[in-house]
Amino acid sequence: MEGRLKPMDAEQLRENAHKMVDFIADYYKNIENFPVLSQVEPGYLRTLLPDSAPNHPESLQDVLDDFQAKILPGVTHWQSPDYFAYFPSNSSIAGFLGEMLSAGINMVGFSWITSPAATELEMIVLDWLAKVIKLPDDFLSTGQGGGVIQGTASEAVLVVLLAARDKVLRRVGKNALGKLVVYSSDQTHSALQKACQIGGIHPENCRVLKTDSSTEYALSPELLNEAISHDIAIGLIPFFLCATVGTTSSTAVDPLLGLGKITKSNGIWLHVDAAYAGSACICPEFRHYIDGVEEADSFNMNAHKWFLTNFDCSALWVKDRGALIQSLSTNPEFLKNKASQGNMVVDYKDWQIPLGRRFRSLKLWMVLRLYGLENLQSYIRNHIELAKHFEELVSQDPRFKVVTPRKFSLVCFRLLPPHSNEECANKLNHDLLDTVNSTGRIFISHTVLSGNYILRFAVGAPLTEERHINAAWKVIQEEATALLRTL
Amino acid sequence: MEGRLKPMDAEQLRENAHKMVDFIADYYKNIENFPVLSQVEPGYLRTLLPDSAPNHPESLQDVLDDFQAKILPGVTHWQSPDYFAYFPSNSSIAGFLGEMLSAGINMVGFSWITSPAATELEMIVLDWLAKVIKLPDDFLSTGQGGGVIQGTASEAVLVVLLAARDKVLRRVGKNALGKLVVYSSDQTHSALQKACQIGGIHPENCRVLKTDSSTEYALSPELLNEAISHDIAIGLIPFFLCATVGTTSSTAVDPLLGLGKITKSNGIWLHVDAAYAGSACICPEFRHYIDGVEEADSFNMNAHKWFLTNFDCSALWVKDRGALIQSLSTNPEFLKNKASQGNMVVDYKDWQIPLGRRFRSLKLWMVLRLYGLENLQSYIRNHIELAKHFEELVSQDPRFKVVTPRKFSLVCFRLLPPHSNEECANKLNHDLLDTVNSTGRIFISHTVLSGNYILRFAVGAPLTEERHINAAWKVIQEEATALLRTL
């Protein structure tokens, strides 16, 4: 990149991007050789990099060398076949190619006119995906609803919370904000709490309803009903329920049928967060987990989790797009144009927090076309089989216990304390997590259920095969053996 | 992609990604042959694509053929050298390579531990960029402040508005939300209005202060002072000012020195939106436009506009990161880890709306290293020279008028009505915009200043050279001639 700056010369682009392709392909060839969880100490990078940006250009090779030597040791490898933490965040060839193409075109599709194809492909592909998981027709863009790609499930729940908030405030007056009540279970993702903080919902009006093992950590419709009745009785205004299909802690499934009846009869907006488990619903045998979605006002699943679409791609559908638009639209002069003013088009800027947006539907389109539905179903089923296999391995070792019945590809388990000493059980599992992750050979995460510290083993990385499951279990067993010996 | 699905096979990735590189490089080779502004009609794509996703896999070649035949006609080419609308949204080789690498690694850096390098590189590179534009040290991550990459300027102004809102509400009580007052000028970006809608600021408490040609559409400190005094007198609580350096309509520059004194003495959060013009401040001769930034609480510039960093990359700096974190943090069990609990690290999830985040600092790092500061300065200066050249061309044609003095790379101008018939002037310029953009040869946009419809010519695409400016001006002249003949 010497001589006069040609920042977008086609032939220089070709030459350098081919180099980058090989660099990335080699990364995947070697991915099993890295510690899955980065083992660096806080602040490690500042000592390795200069204090300021260079005045003169450096070569791509220098930058790639630095990336290899200085950045990669600080990377936690989410695409490693030995990654079992949190939930998966799939990369795939199709998803990656879609990201390349989108970054290559680099257009900003805030309004239809700024790139009609970006808006229209998004509408079409989200209709495709809605049909694949058999969402009711009300969620299709051909009626009053429609789908939109948000960055994350956090943004999805925020925008529908705002739509619901403003819808009720238009009726009761904006000074009633302090009376609005939001419902969820104690298993609901923290994104809801954050959305409430942002939207100005009073913290004391956020009802976090208790769950326990008797419902496998699903929200009880009876509890919801009681809470709503009580709130109405004291003059508050129930307006929003976030139900979850596949909670983060343990993939619990809130009963949409029962909950939906209650929200419907009380005029409460029902949002379904199926960020992780929504992908499984492309298989007929798992579709029943979202039975009752007919009563929902909005539904969200993250194609970037377990659907081979590179981060970020969070699909949100609503039945009443008008409510979203009323909350989020602005109409400055500099963006006015014939198509928008004539209400002939969708302008996705009014369905989301940011103004600008990338051409994210490309990667979802490419995943659906390059793989096809049958392959995608097999992909999901394979991970669920692998998780079943892991569950069996855990069950066969009497030192361990599977904590909640596995539904999808997450196994929640724990090491039992020796001599049934329950007091040290939490510390024991905490220590096991630490030692296992410190090996760098696998990465798992944790949660707490009913006060118990639990280990989470989430299958779902595209490269994971049965041999990785077996090897992972061996690491966990070995570290458990070593730990138990120290007690 | 036939046979058993291998969604992340390194050699298949290599083969397909090389194909994609050539496809994208060829796109740039041919970019001048496309109509800049897509000429499709609303709904064009639905008739061209199937109603549902395929069951079986299709080939990459089929997808690329469809992209070429069906998607590209609906794309508005933001990277075309003939693109002069809105503001630029730069793509560059370095930025594109950074996007590739980030999508290749595909990690999700919400907490430090989920990929330490992603957090640490972002802190370091935003410190680099802060030094390049000579922000006060208070904004560096080595003190109480720091930088963070947001998706867009809309998210940047939203998160600081929330931080400021919650800071004042902690003092006066959350029931005072209805008393909070936000200030801006009538030239401020609509992102502020949207942030206020989201954050529950009452619309009647959003003071949109009038500007006119006497200040070249900059906000007058006197007007601000009067508005604040009046609001305090009637019991309201002024808490936030959004000042702009380089407004969207006409690149007006609000006087930070004068405004900062007022916000400081009234305890008001001062946010500086330099989304577009911030890039120019890397040149010493343009740095004076942000003199007074010392009194600001937050500062934002979009590296994805005019700084060769592919969308999205909006750099936000704050002096008091604690205020951001207090508004936006959550601490669910499943994300707890030693480094976070020990306050040893930055967890960027608490500086932004979403939880998940891409490794966006990579592309900014690559832009700074592969180009170097001197080249980047020349890049900015070249566009400003080109805009000057366009301004001269307009001035030399007595049928046209430059409307406000050009400061950066945007020229605001209009066609004068024949016989000084001011009544038809707005329609005339509206029609000129339409006919010019309908040629597909260039894309320009518009605004309204003091009630007058104005044409905007924004230089800034990486491929634009003097010949493109001359050709664009010829198109405008020709269409004007034709239009005037019809009157």
Side-chain angles (χ1 to χ4, degrees):
Chain A
M1 311 229 171
E2 287 174 12
R4 191 173 70 84
L5 187 66
K6 291 171 121 183
M8 233 337 157
D9 177 82
E11 295 314 316
Q12 283 184 26
L13 169 69
R14 194 188 308 272
E15 185 191 329
N16 286 290
H18 279 308
K19 269 187 209 156
M20 185 59 89
V21 167
D22 286 324
F23 186 85
I24 292 169
D26 290 344
Y27 168 71
Y28 278 96
K29 250 173 77 179
N30 297 316
I31 196 166
E32 295 193 44
N33 302 333
F34 302 107
V36 190
L37 175 65
S38 168
Q39 305 287 321
V40 299
E41 293 296 316
Y44 91 101
L45 190 58
R46 199 172 285 270
T47 59
L48 300 176
L49 296 187
D51 270 350
S52 55
N55 280 318
H56 300 291
E58 303 180 59
S59 74
L60 178 58
Q61 195 54 56
D62 282 349
V63 172
L64 290 179
D65 288 346
D66 269 2
F67 182 83
Q68 193 84 43
K70 299 171 184 172
I71 305 292
L72 267 189
V75 167
T76 293
H77 301 276
W78 287 63
Q79 303 313 318
S80 165
D82 303 314
Y83 178 97
F84 304 102
Y86 311 115
F87 278 135
S89 176
N90 285 181
S91 184
S92 71
I93 298 172
F96 176 68
L97 296 176
E99 278 284 352
M100 279 181 74
L101 192 51
S102 164
I105 303 296
N106 201 51
M107 56 94 249
V108 188
F110 45 80
S111 304
W112 179 86
I113 197 179
T114 68
S115 237
T119 296
E120 297 200 6
L121 187 64
E122 186 160 329
M123 294 167 69
I124 293 167
V125 171
L126 288 195
D127 281 352
W128 285 10
L129 190 54
K131 290 176 191 170
V132 163
I133 51 180
K134 302 203 181 342
L135 289 186
D137 285 353
D138 301 349
F139 286 110
L140 299 182
S141 68
T142 41
Q144 301 303 307
V148 56
I149 298 177
Q150 303 283 334
T152 60
S154 304
E155 287 152 281
V157 71
L158 172 59
V159 296
V160 295
L161 180 93
L162 296 171
R165 177 197 72 178
D166 294 349
K167 196 170 174 178
V168 65
L169 289 182
R170 278 193 295 275
R171 186 164 51 81
V172 300
K174 63 181 180 290
N175 289 317
L177 179 63
K179 291 186 178 175
L180 301 192
V181 188
V182 168
Y183 302 85
S184 70
S185 88
D186 57 6
Q187 301 298 307
T188 304
H189 194 279
S190 55
L192 178 67
Q193 180 203 329
K194 188 156 176 170
C196 291
Q197 287 169 202
I198 293 166
I201 308 300
H202 289 191
E204 66 271 25
N205 290 350
C206 296
R207 303 277 169 271
V208 179
L209 303 170
K210 238 178 113 51
T211 63
D212 59 34
S213 58
S214 72
T215 61
E216 294 175 11
Y217 301 97
L219 176 58
S220 143
E222 291 69 35
L223 265 188
L224 175 70
N225 215 3
E226 279 168 30
I228 291 172
S229 302
H230 178 259
D231 287 325
I232 293 174
I234 60 174
L236 296 178
I237 306 169
F239 87 106
F240 192 83
L241 168 66
C242 179
T244 310
V245 174
T247 58
T248 307
S249 274
S250 65
T251 67
V253 174
D254 291 338
L256 301 188
L257 275 168
L259 298 170
K261 274 182 209 151
I262 300 168
T263 52
K264 194 180 186 186
S265 66
N266 287 281
I268 292 174
W269 184 297
L270 171 57
H271 176 63
V272 176
D273 170 1
Y276 156 74
S279 299
C281 299
I282 67 167
C283 303
E285 69 270 33
F286 302 119
R287 170 59 176 76
H288 68 91
Y289 286 116
I290 58 168
D291 283 355
V293 68
E294 293 69 25
E295 297 304 342
D297 295 282
S298 48
F299 180 88
N300 172 232
M301 80 93 137
N302 285 350
H304 62 239
K305 277 195 162 66
W306 193 17
F307 203 68
L308 293 171
T309 311
N310 289 44
F311 189 87
D312 49 357
C313 186
S314 180
L316 170 70
W317 291 269
V318 294
K319 277 186 185 165
D320 174 12
R321 61 176 177 253
L324 258 194
I325 294 169
Q326 277 194 274
S327 273
L328 297 172
S329 74
T330 56
N331 189 22
E333 180 60 42
F334 57 88
L335 297 183
K336 286 182 183 165
N337 64 86
K338 225 187 299 176
S340 300
Q341 300 305 104
N343 272 320
M344 299 152 69
V345 293
V346 161
D347 288 328
Y348 273 130
K349 71 180 177 62
D350 299 334
W351 299 48
Q352 62 173 20
I353 305 295
L355 173 59
R357 60 202 321 271
R358 287 147 60 228
F359 199 163
R360 286 180 295 207
S361 55
L362 272 180
K363 57 187 171 186
L364 186 53
W365 184 58
M366 292 184 72
V367 164
L368 287 165
R369 290 192 63 182
L370 292 180
Y371 299 139
L373 180 56
E374 288 183 12
N375 270 326
L376 291 164
Q377 289 169 333
S378 308
Y379 175 74
I380 295 286
R381 287 176 183 134
N382 178 47
H383 283 151
I384 291 180
E385 286 305 312
L386 291 178
K388 259 189 209 165
H389 175 60
F390 183 82
E391 189 185 28
E392 280 161 20
L393 293 173
V394 176
S395 312
Q396 286 158 15
D397 187 330
R399 299 174 302 171
F400 288 88
K401 188 187 165 192
V402 173
V403 175
T404 53
R406 184 204 45 74
K407 286 192 179 66
F408 303 100
S409 68
L410 172 73
V411 180
C412 290
F413 69 107
R414 68 195 312 232
L415 180 57
L416 299 173
H419 324 299
S420 304
N421 178 355
E422 271 299 330
E423 274 166 38
C424 78
N426 282 355
K427 185 176 179 316
L428 184 66
N429 281 281
H430 191 291
D431 290 348
L432 180 57
L433 182 85
D434 265 2
T435 57
V436 162
N437 286 341
S438 295
T439 65
R441 291 170 61 195
I442 63 172
F443 181 24
I444 61 175
S445 63
H446 82 283
T447 190
V448 168
L449 291 171
S450 302
N452 295 325
Y453 198 96
I454 309 287
L455 303 180
R456 292 173 76 265
F457 188 90
V459 179
L463 289 168
T464 302
E465 301 174 15
E466 190 172 320
R467 65 187 168 96
H468 301 105
I469 306 289
N470 292 333
W473 176 237
K474 218 173 143 205
V475 170
I476 295 168
Q477 281 185 311
E478 283 169 8
E479 295 301 326
T481 300
L483 204 59
L484 290 171
R485 204 175 289 139
T486 65
L487 294 185
Chain B
M1 310 230 171
E2 288 173 12
R4 192 172 71 83
L5 187 68
K6 290 171 123 184
M8 232 339 158
D9 177 83
E11 295 314 317
Q12 282 184 25
L13 170 69
R14 194 189 308 271
E15 184 191 331
N16 287 291
H18 279 309
K19 269 188 210 155
M20 185 60 88
V21 167
D22 286 325
F23 186 86
I24 293 169
D26 290 345
Y27 168 71
Y28 278 95
K29 249 173 78 179
N30 297 316
I31 197 166
E32 296 192 45
N33 302 333
F34 301 107
V36 189
L37 175 65
S38 168
Q39 305 287 320
V40 299
E41 293 295 318
Y44 91 101
L45 191 58
R46 199 172 283 271
T47 60
L48 300 176
L49 295 188
D51 269 350
S52 55
N55 282 318
H56 301 290
E58 303 181 60
S59 74
L60 178 58
Q61 195 54 53
D62 282 349
V63 173
L64 290 179
D65 288 347
D66 269 3
F67 182 83
Q68 193 85 41
K70 299 171 184 172
I71 307 292
L72 266 188
V75 167
T76 292
H77 302 275
W78 287 64
Q79 302 314 316
S80 165
D82 303 314
Y83 178 98
F84 305 103
Y86 311 114
F87 278 136
S89 176
N90 285 181
S91 183
S92 71
I93 298 172
F96 177 68
L97 296 176
E99 278 285 352
M100 280 181 73
L101 192 50
S102 165
I105 303 297
N106 201 50
M107 55 94 249
V108 188
F110 44 80
S111 304
W112 178 86
I113 195 178
T114 67
S115 238
T119 297
E120 297 199 8
L121 187 64
E122 187 160 330
M123 294 167 70
I124 292 167
V125 171
L126 287 195
D127 280 351
W128 284 10
L129 191 54
K131 289 176 191 171
V132 162
I133 52 180
K134 301 201 181 345
L135 289 187
D137 286 351
D138 301 348
F139 287 110
L140 299 182
S141 69
T142 40
Q144 301 303 307
V148 57
I149 298 176
Q150 303 282 334
T152 61
S154 304
E155 289 154 279
V157 72
L158 173 59
V159 297
V160 297
L161 181 92
L162 295 171
R165 177 196 73 178
D166 294 348
K167 196 171 174 176
V168 65
L169 289 182
R170 278 193 294 274
R171 186 164 50 81
V172 300
K174 62 180 179 294
N175 289 317
L177 179 64
K179 292 185 177 175
L180 301 191
V181 188
V182 169
Y183 303 85
S184 70
S185 89
D186 57 6
Q187 302 298 306
T188 303
H189 195 279
S190 54
L192 178 67
Q193 181 203 328
K194 188 157 177 169
C196 289
Q197 288 169 203
I198 293 167
I201 307 301
H202 289 192
E204 66 270 25
N205 290 350
C206 296
R207 303 276 169 270
V208 178
L209 304 169
K210 238 180 111 52
T211 64
D212 59 34
S213 60
S214 73
T215 61
E216 293 175 10
Y217 300 98
L219 177 57
S220 143
E222 291 69 37
L223 265 189
L224 175 69
N225 215 5
E226 280 168 29
I228 290 172
S229 303
H230 177 259
D231 287 325
I232 293 173
I234 60 173
L236 296 177
I237 306 171
F239 87 105
F240 191 84
L241 168 66
C242 179
T244 309
V245 174
T247 59
T248 307
S249 274
S250 66
T251 68
V253 174
D254 291 338
L256 301 188
L257 276 167
L259 298 170
K261 274 183 207 150
I262 299 168
T263 53
K264 194 181 185 183
S265 66
N266 287 281
I268 292 172
W269 185 297
L270 171 57
H271 176 64
V272 176
D273 170 1
Y276 157 74
S279 298
C281 299
I282 67 168
C283 303
E285 68 272 32
F286 302 120
R287 170 58 178 77
H288 67 91
Y289 286 116
I290 58 167
D291 282 355
V293 67
E294 293 69 26
E295 297 303 344
D297 295 281
S298 49
F299 181 88
N300 170 233
M301 81 92 134
N302 285 350
H304 62 238
K305 277 196 162 66
W306 193 19
F307 203 69
L308 293 171
T309 311
N310 288 43
F311 188 85
D312 49 358
C313 187
S314 179
L316 169 69
W317 291 269
V318 294
K319 277 185 184 166
D320 174 13
R321 61 176 176 252
L324 258 194
I325 294 169
Q326 277 194 272
S327 273
L328 297 171
S329 74
T330 56
N331 190 22
E333 180 61 41
F334 57 89
L335 296 183
K336 286 181 183 166
N337 65 84
K338 223 187 298 177
S340 300
Q341 301 304 105
N343 271 321
M344 298 152 70
V345 294
V346 161
D347 288 328
Y348 273 130
K349 72 180 177 62
D350 299 334
W351 297 49
Q352 62 173 19
I353 304 294
L355 173 58
R357 60 203 321 271
R358 287 147 60 229
F359 199 162
R360 288 180 295 208
S361 56
L362 273 180
K363 56 188 172 185
L364 186 53
W365 184 57
M366 292 184 73
V367 164
L368 288 165
R369 290 193 63 182
L370 292 180
Y371 299 138
L373 180 56
E374 288 183 11
N375 270 326
L376 291 164
Q377 289 170 333
S378 308
Y379 175 75
I380 295 285
R381 286 175 183 135
N382 179 47
H383 284 151
I384 291 180
E385 286 306 312
L386 291 177
K388 256 189 209 166
H389 175 60
F390 182 83
E391 187 184 30
E392 280 161 19
L393 293 173
V394 176
S395 313
Q396 286 159 16
D397 187 330
R399 300 174 300 171
F400 287 88
K401 188 187 165 191
V402 173
V403 174
T404 52
R406 183 204 47 74
K407 286 193 178 67
F408 303 101
S409 67
L410 173 74
V411 180
C412 289
F413 69 107
R414 69 196 311 233
L415 180 58
L416 299 173
H419 324 300
S420 306
N421 179 356
E422 269 301 329
E423 275 165 37
C424 79
N426 282 354
K427 183 172 180 321
L428 184 67
N429 281 280
H430 190 290
D431 290 348
L432 180 57
L433 183 84
D434 264 0
T435 56
V436 161
N437 287 339
S438 297
T439 65
R441 292 169 62 193
I442 63 171
F443 181 23
I444 61 175
S445 62
H446 82 283
T447 190
V448 168
L449 291 171
S450 302
N452 295 324
Y453 196 95
I454 308 287
L455 303 181
R456 293 172 75 264
F457 188 90
V459 180
L463 289 168
T464 302
E465 302 173 14
E466 190 172 322
R467 64 187 169 96
H468 300 106
I469 305 289
N470 292 333
W473 177 236
K474 222 176 139 205
V475 171
I476 296 168
Q477 280 184 312
E478 284 169 6
E479 296 301 325
T481 301
L483 203 59
L484 290 171
R485 205 176 290 141
T486 65
L487 294 184

